[in-house]
mmCIF file of all heavy atoms in Angstrom:
data_model
loop_
_atom_site.group_PDB
_atom_site.id
_atom_site.type_symbol
_atom_site.label_atom_id
_atom_site.label_comp_id
_atom_site.label_asym_id
_atom_site.label_seq_id
_atom_site.Cartn_x
_atom_site.Cartn_y
_atom_site.Cartn_z
ATOM 1 N N VAL A 1185 98.230 152.859 72.256
ATOM 2 C CA VAL A 1185 98.592 151.464 72.486
ATOM 3 C C VAL A 1185 98.086 151.147 73.897
ATOM 4 O O VAL A 1185 98.151 151.935 74.792
ATOM 5 C CB VAL A 1185 100.158 151.344 72.472
ATOM 6 C CG1 VAL A 1185 100.705 150.079 72.917
ATOM 7 C CG2 VAL A 1185 100.629 151.700 71.057
ATOM 8 N N PRO A 1275 98.696 139.954 56.928
ATOM 9 C CA PRO A 1275 97.875 139.580 55.810
ATOM 10 C C PRO A 1275 96.437 139.251 56.014
ATOM 11 O O PRO A 1275 95.562 139.147 55.198
ATOM 12 C CB PRO A 1275 98.544 138.271 55.261
ATOM 13 C CG PRO A 1275 99.132 137.651 56.470
ATOM 14 C CD PRO A 1275 99.578 138.880 57.319
ATOM 15 N N GLY A 1653 72.490 129.802 70.632
ATOM 16 C CA GLY A 1653 72.439 130.711 69.501
ATOM 17 C C GLY A 1653 71.042 131.375 69.400
ATOM 18 O O GLY A 1653 70.622 131.590 68.313
ATOM 19 N N VAL A 1731 69.992 138.272 85.402
ATOM 20 C CA VAL A 1731 70.990 137.332 85.749
ATOM 21 C C VAL A 1731 70.515 136.313 86.686
ATOM 22 O O VAL A 1731 70.962 135.099 86.657
ATOM 23 C CB VAL A 1731 72.247 138.089 86.245
ATOM 24 C CG1 VAL A 1731 71.985 138.739 87.587
ATOM 25 C CG2 VAL A 1731 73.491 137.172 86.280
#
Side-chain angles (χ1 to χ4, degrees):
V1185 170
V1731 68

